[in-house]
Amino acid sequence: MAMNDSVNILNSAYLAVEYIDSFLPDNPLQQPFKNAWNYMLDNYTKFQIATWGSLIVHEVSYFLLCVPGFIFQFIPYMQKYKIQQDKPETWEKQWKCFKTLLFNHFFIQLPLICGTYYFTEYFNIPYEWEEMPRWYVLVAQCFGCAVIEDAWHYFLHRLLHHKRIYKYIHKVHHEFVSPFGMQAEYAHPLETLILGAGFFIGIVVFCNHVVLLWAWVICRLMETIDVHSGYDVPLNPLHLVPFYAGARFHDFHHMNFIGNYASTFTWWDRIFGTDSQFIAYQEKEKKKQCITKK
């Protein structure tokens, strides 16, 4: 009975969004996107699209999303939004991070990306434009992937902080006490595999078109680069996402090496009380601000 009620609620929500969508003006970018997509299908094989297309989406998205945070370090006005103002970025750290990233991307992640084509073939995931899901379905699927990945990340990330494991794997990621955006995927190769596995679970559950692979890559990178940016910028649109953790939440984890284990949302840390030190820290900061104002 409860299952039927849930299905009915989801169907009603879907119909409501579809009804609202019918009143929205046509997207001027849809036709150019359709033309580009069909051109890609006509000129490249599915293996090329799944492999090199996925690699290009990942690399371009990753480094483009890192650009704002990289530029912020040169803008004095933005320094008031830096969370750990006593620990500025250095060229030495950023260069070391960049070299490790290139190794991880091309020697760890690329071999995994090479399996994308076989994954889509095994699960009969379509590439055709006519099979592409509507935008609101894609948004819902990405959110579902985020919820699943967040749960995986919380428990496996917390396990990697166990005293018998931490120094062998996760310590690499914590080399930078004050994180910056490019450091999001700076990690031990085993960590890349362990925590990265959570990315694919939602794809197995929800994927009904290859475009979800790329949309979810972009969403996940947007989130992880934001929380590692080191800047708590006002009017950040990601803060509109319910229960979104954000940069200040994750920055505390890097600062103290404990608590705030989830990747995207705050609910697992609230349920298990692993955000208690962060909450106490926030209260102290508020009191300091009040005293300063007086």
Side-chain angles (χ1 to χ4, degrees):
M1 185 67 180
M3 179 64 73
N4 290 334
D5 290 341
S6 298
V7 171
N8 290 333
I9 291 171
L10 289 173
N11 286 336
S12 298
Y14 179 85
L15 291 173
V17 174
E18 194 172 43
Y19 177 74
I20 294 171
D21 182 59
S22 66
F23 289 97
L24 296 177
D26 292 336
N27 184 353
L29 298 178
Q30 181 171 327
Q31 191 59 45
F33 181 60
K34 178 181 179 181
N35 294 338
W37 190 271
N38 286 329
Y39 177 86
M40 178 182 70
L41 293 177
D42 292 338
N43 290 275
Y44 300 96
T45 66
K46 286 185 177 181
F47 178 82
Q48 291 173 324
I49 294 170
T51 305
W52 305 118
S54 298
L55 178 66
I56 291 170
V57 168
H58 180 273
E59 295 305 300
V60 172
S61 299
Y62 192 92
F63 289 106
L64 277 181
L65 289 167
C66 287
V67 168
F70 179 78
I71 294 175
F72 287 167
Q73 65 183 308
F74 305 111
I75 304 175
Y77 176 80
M78 296 303 298
Q79 296 315 300
K80 64 181 179 180
Y81 300 121
K82 183 167 174 57
I83 300 167
Q84 298 186 54
Q85 297 187 8
D86 59 330
K87 297 182 179 67
E89 297 90 343
T90 66
W91 285 108
E92 181 183 2
K93 290 180 179 179
Q94 291 175 97
W95 176 239
K96 182 179 181 181
C97 178
F98 180 72
K99 290 187 292 184
T100 302
L101 278 179
L102 291 182
F103 176 83
N104 285 349
H105 285 183
F106 290 98
F107 291 94
I108 306 298
Q109 295 182 14
L110 180 56
L112 296 175
I113 291 173
C114 287
T116 304
Y117 166 74
Y118 303 100
F119 171 83
T120 59
E121 287 294 293
Y122 182 81
F123 288 101
N124 295 316
I125 296 171
Y127 289 63
E128 291 73 22
W129 174 265
E130 292 73 20
E131 301 292 329
M132 190 174 293
R134 300 298 298 273
W135 66 268
Y136 45 85
V137 175
L138 203 58
V139 170
Q141 289 173 328
C142 286
F143 184 79
C145 287
V147 171
I148 293 172
E149 190 280 333
D150 184 70
W152 176 273
H153 191 100
Y154 176 84
F155 293 104
L156 271 295
H157 182 196
R158 189 172 178 180
L159 178 64
L160 289 176
H161 271 270
H162 191 280
K163 61 182 180 181
R164 293 184 178 179
I165 303 174
Y166 175 79
K167 65 181 179 179
Y168 299 109
I169 302 175
H170 193 52
K171 186 178 179 180
V172 174
H173 183 67
H174 276 280
E175 184 176 332
F176 304 114
V177 177
S178 178
F180 47 91
M182 191 168 56
Q183 189 235 337
E185 291 186 348
Y186 180 90
H188 189 285
L190 278 177
E191 179 173 340
T192 300
L193 295 173
I194 293 168
L195 295 185
F199 172 89
F200 296 99
I201 300 174
I203 294 296
V204 173
V205 174
F206 296 110
C207 197
N208 58 355
H209 196 280
V210 72
V211 75
L212 177 62
L213 286 166
W214 296 350
W216 172 221
V217 164
I218 294 170
C219 288
R220 179 70 180 104
L221 290 179
M222 191 182 303
E223 176 275 325
T224 190
I225 291 170
D226 176 61
V227 301
H228 284 92
S229 68
Y231 289 85
D232 187 18
V233 180
L235 303 179
N236 185 338
L238 288 175
H239 291 163
L240 297 175
V241 178
F243 301 101
Y244 182 66
R248 194 168 290 277
F249 187 85
H250 193 69
D251 207 281
F252 180 85
H253 175 77
H254 276 265
M255 194 190 311
N256 297 277
F257 308 100
I258 192 170
N260 296 8
Y261 298 110
S263 59
T264 307
F265 305 107
T266 57
W267 49 61
W268 288 113
D269 284 287
R270 289 183 181 179
I271 290 170
F272 291 100
T274 46
D275 64 345
S276 58
Q277 291 190 31
F278 174 65
I279 293 172
Y281 171 78
Q282 283 186 311
E283 290 299 322
K284 288 181 181 178
E285 289 298 305
K286 287 180 181 178
K287 289 179 180 179
K288 285 182 182 178
Q289 291 177 2
C290 291
I291 293 172
T292 302
K293 289 179 180 179
K294 290 180 180 179

